[in-house]
Amino acid sequence: MSRTSVPEAAYLAASLLFIFGLKRLSSPRSARSGNILAAIGMALALAGTFVLPGMGHFGLIILAIAIGTAPGWLLARRVKMTAMPQMVSLFNGMGGACALFISMGEWLRETAPAGDFGQALPMLLGIVFGSVSFTGSLVAFGKLQGLITEKSVRWPLQKSLNALLLLAIVATAAEAVPHHDNAWWAVALAGAALLLGVLQVLPIGGADMPVVISVLNSCTGLAAALTGFAMHNMSMIIAGTLVGAAGSFLTVLMCKAMNRSLAKVVFGSFGLSPVAAAGAAAVKSDQVMREITASECAIMMGYARKVIIVPGYGLAVAQGQHLVHDLDEALEKRGVEVKYAIHPVAGRMPGHMNVLLAEANVPYPKLLDMDEINPEFEQADVALIIGANDVVNPAARTEAGSPIYGMPILNADKAKNVIVIKRGRGAGFAGIENALFFNPKTRMLFGDAKKALQELVTEVKAL
């Protein structure tokens, strides 16, 4: 076997492991092994790179790997489940930055002759997609972390400015092709794309963050694939295409779950309209929330036939997933049927609630998606909502002026009784009041979800 065929074989094996690993990530039962397979694939790809013809500076390469591995390992070990969305955004941004620097490096090596559009295009697109993914992911991280306001940030002529910036990117890329020997064109292209990433994500409201994360993830995959084309690296092409395709598919599913087009998410902004704001104010002044104690909740659930639990971000914030499992087991010992209703955009990223409950060893067959669980709410004696808000808001069905109007929701309001565990009386992530909380059959159990669940578990066991 020649020296050139060894890295190619390593890249082929790595690509196959990426595919098998991604496939196994489709189920919580096999996700751990899928992650290990993908990690082995990445190790093979790195090993193959070391034996490429002409490679050198191995000391610096190993140093760079060590510098990247240390903080990555520490973050992965210490990050809380509530911070998982922003960690994903941060790591996704790092992937975009890698694609940007690699594409820029390939451009500066002048591997393509001036005017060769076919060879220059992958590098230029890698610079653009990598830049947008990098700064866009950083803004998304800032919103999720609370460093930047989660609400929509708008300014005059916002869309016009973004459109002009996009035209400037196209013009700069077109001018860079015949001037390949002038590095400043590529630098200007990267600068414009970096700015576009900030300006494009900044106006998007927090309620659209799950979709934005998917879009940026797809951009990072595309940037990696384009970088692979520029470097003639099969492994990067396949891995980037897998990430880009998975991110695109997930984006479509998220948009469908929110009943919003991708164009509305990316260009429309998600904010509280004046009509919705007026409606929210009217709800606050005209109706009251009815409170309930933990012992009363325990009696209601302990003597029920069927309870459906609706988890939300408040559960993740309180780190109460293990207590939910304890409550589940305590109810089932009394003969109560317990199921979980999972909305596609519950939490701050796709699959957030699934991961959270899987961590607490909740049996996966109990986690039912929206289409499966919605017909069962009418037969449920109690719908227990823990930290969820917008995904159970009936305004999505009835209020045309609401920013969530038309978004498919969980039909928790159709249960015979509704119990809501909520820290306070504030509005949800979309910034609007939830009429369900004022429904005559709804009772509010105010307080930290973890403390409230602990009280519920104790009271149910004491029945």
Side-chain angles (χ1 to χ4, degrees), residues 82 121 136 158 160 184 257 259 324 350 428 454:
T82 49
L121 184 62
Q158 164 197 322
S160 299
W184 288 108
N259 195 34
V324 168
Q454 182 63 72

Side-chain angles (χ1 to χ4, degrees), residues 39 52 54 77 101 144 162 178 209 228 262 265 277 295 340 397 400 409 447:
L52 279 172
R77 291 278 296 176
F101 287 122
L144 293 167
N162 288 355
M209 272 304 119
L262 180 59
V265 172
S295 59
Y340 296 79
R397 299 196 211 105
I409 61 168

Side-chain angles (χ1 to χ4, degrees), residues 74-220:
L74 288 173
L75 284 172
R77 291 278 296 176
R78 297 181 180 181
V79 67
K80 295 180 179 179
M81 191 57 64
T82 49
M84 193 61 67
Q86 46 264 53
M87 189 187 78
V88 170
S89 292
L90 186 61
F91 284 177
N92 187 65
M94 294 303 101
C98 289
L100 162 64
F101 287 122
I102 293 172
S103 296
M104 184 70 75
E106 288 297 302
W107 181 267
L108 295 177
R109 285 176 57 191
E110 297 185 353
T111 55
D116 191 333
F117 185 78
Q119 291 192 46
L121 184 62
M123 294 180 240
L124 296 173
L125 289 178
I127 291 172
V128 172
F129 280 105
S131 299
V132 170
S133 176
F134 174 49
T135 52
S137 296
L138 290 183
V139 173
F141 166 80
K143 284 177 173 283
L144 293 167
Q145 188 68 18
L147 303 176
I148 304 174
T149 177
E150 295 174 347
K151 296 180 181 179
S152 175
V153 180
R154 306 179 187 182
W155 54 85
L157 302 177
Q158 164 197 322
K159 295 180 182 179
S160 299
L161 177 61
N162 288 355
L164 287 173
L165 192 56
L166 183 60
L167 288 174
I169 289 173
V170 174
T172 303
E175 192 65 27
V177 174
H179 298 91
H180 195 106
D181 55 338
N182 190 340
W184 288 108
W185 286 107
V187 173
L189 180 66
L194 288 169
L195 181 59
L196 180 63
V198 174
L199 298 182
Q200 193 62 53
V201 177
L202 195 60
I204 299 176
D208 277 334
M209 272 304 119
V211 181
V212 172
I213 291 174
S214 296
V215 173
L216 293 172
N217 185 54
S218 181
C219 283
T220 299

Side-chain angles (χ1 to χ4, degrees), residues 190-344:
L194 288 169
L195 181 59
L196 180 63
V198 174
L199 298 182
Q200 193 62 53
V201 177
L202 195 60
I204 299 176
D208 277 334
M209 272 304 119
V211 181
V212 172
I213 291 174
S214 296
V215 173
L216 293 172
N217 185 54
S218 181
C219 283
T220 299
L222 288 173
L226 289 163
T227 302
F229 277 110
M231 297 180 65
H232 306 288
N233 187 307
M234 176 182 60
S235 183
M236 287 188 67
I237 294 172
I238 294 176
T241 302
L242 286 172
V243 174
S248 299
F249 184 67
L250 192 57
T251 299
V252 172
L253 293 179
M254 292 297 102
C255 288
K256 182 179 178 181
M258 299 179 70
N259 195 34
R260 286 164 61 74
S261 68
L262 180 59
K264 285 185 178 180
V265 172
V266 177
F267 302 111
S269 302
F270 196 99
L272 183 60
S273 67
V275 175
V283 169
K284 284 184 179 179
S285 60
D286 296 341
Q287 301 185 45
V288 295
M289 297 179 182
R290 298 163 180 82
E291 296 187 42
I292 193 173
T293 65
S295 59
E296 291 171 326
C297 288
I299 292 172
M300 189 181 295
M301 291 189 295
Y303 292 98
R305 291 175 302 165
K306 184 173 186 176
V307 172
I308 297 178
I309 299 175
V310 182
Y313 187 65
L315 174 64
V317 171
Q319 290 287 289
Q321 62 270 27
H322 295 281
L323 287 170
V324 168
H325 189 207
D326 293 343
L327 177 62
D328 178 345
E329 291 182 329
L331 290 172
E332 287 206 328
K333 286 180 180 179
R334 297 184 54 83
V336 181
E337 181 186 7
V338 180
K339 293 185 177 181
Y340 296 79
I342 309 297
H343 193 281

